[in-house]
Amino acid sequence: MLIDKQLPDLQMAGVSGAAGGTYNNVNLDGVSRVNGPVLARNFKGNGVIQMNGNLSAEEMDVNGKLKINGSLESVRMQLDGMVTIDGPLRGENCILNGMIRVTGSCELERFEGEGSFTVIGLLSAGYMDFTLEGQSKADEIGVESLIVRQRDSHLVSKLLGGLIPRFRTELLAKVIEGDYLELENTTADIVRGDKVIIGIGCRIGRLEYRSELKVHPGSSVGKVEKYGE
């Protein structure tokens, strides 16, 4: 992402602000505001952070509350807390523990975690394994492999001190399409896949599969069609 050359570091602590730029390491601790786009090799944030511009980083580790007024692009992301992106998200590996909201498309090679997500647009991933805590939404989901689980309702949520809104624990989507789909507590207009496993708590309007289908008796599925014969 960055050419091999000496770059300055950006370090802030307490209540502070800085301008955007191209950096080697960015370390933000406390209440931070950065005005302008940032390109960095490593980005670490702890606390409350506002980025007024696009953020691009090879490695990213955030714990707290992050607001990006722009797009986010990163090779590897560890996101713990609440993340809001007013733009698209692109990357390779993302591990989320908390909440994320993306206004735009979300393109990831691998998306894992627990909590809730909202994507205003297409959520595209090679592999996705997510445990629902609260309500998650995406207009459309296109994947190679998708596993969506429901958190055990008897467990006390450790995420954000229980601050995740207590909506019905479910995934809402218009269309979900992929090679391998394993769903729980999912409400969708259309589900289309090669091998499809509909677990407990699903409400599917139309289901299309090619090679294998399993439906839990505790789920509701409308029209079912096998294709590719």
Side-chain angles (χ1 to χ4, degrees), residues 136-141 146 148 168 170-177 181 183-192 196 198 201-208 219-223:
S136 292
K137 299 179 182 179
D139 288 347
E140 296 185 23
I141 300 177
L146 170 61
V148 174
R168 179 179 185 267
E170 64 179 341
L171 169 61
L172 301 175
K174 295 177 182 177
V175 179
I176 300 175
E177 186 169 2
L181 303 175
L183 309 176
E184 290 184 0
N185 272 40
T186 297
T187 299
D189 295 337
I190 300 173
V191 170
R192 182 183 298 116
V196 180
I198 302 297
C202 292
R203 294 177 292 185
I204 311 299
R206 178 185 177 91
L207 194 153
E208 302 175 11
S219 288
S220 172
V221 177
K223 185 175 181 180

Side-chain angles (χ1 to χ4, degrees), residues 32-175:
S32 307
R33 181 192 298 265
V34 179
N35 295 314
V38 170
L39 178 63
R41 284 197 176 98
N42 300 294
F43 183 98
K44 291 186 178 181
N46 183 54
V48 179
I49 303 163
Q50 180 167 320
M51 308 292 296
N52 294 321
N54 298 335
L55 172 59
S56 181
E58 294 180 11
E59 302 274 352
M60 188 170 176
D61 190 346
V62 173
N63 190 340
K65 185 176 182 180
L66 171 65
K67 171 70 180 295
I68 302 175
N69 294 313
S71 64
L72 171 60
E73 184 173 0
S74 180
V75 178
R76 285 171 290 276
M77 292 167 273
Q78 175 72 51
L79 307 176
D80 298 314
M82 301 176 65
V83 179
T84 304
I85 305 168
D86 285 339
L89 167 62
R90 292 182 296 273
E92 292 186 14
N93 298 324
C94 178
I95 298 175
L96 170 69
N97 291 289
M99 301 171 62
I100 190 168
R101 178 182 175 86
V102 181
T103 304
S105 62
C106 177
E107 302 176 25
L108 299 167
E109 289 297 321
R110 193 175 185 93
F111 183 26
E112 300 174 83
E114 58 183 31
S116 68
F117 60 85
T118 299
V119 177
I120 310 300
L122 171 65
L123 170 55
S124 174
Y127 173 84
M128 182 173 170
D129 188 336
F130 203 84
T131 300
L132 298 171
E133 172 69 25
Q135 189 178 84
S136 292
K137 299 179 182 179
D139 288 347
E140 296 185 23
I141 300 177
V143 295
E144 293 178 14
S145 175
L146 170 61
I147 301 172
V148 174
R149 301 183 179 91
Q150 172 190 359
R151 175 184 288 276
D152 189 335
S153 60
H154 297 291
L155 294 177
V156 177
S157 173
K158 296 182 291 184
L159 298 174
L160 306 178
L163 292 180
I164 289 181
R166 303 308 301 174
F167 297 112
R168 179 179 185 267
T169 299
E170 64 179 341
L171 169 61
L172 301 175
K174 295 177 182 177
V175 179

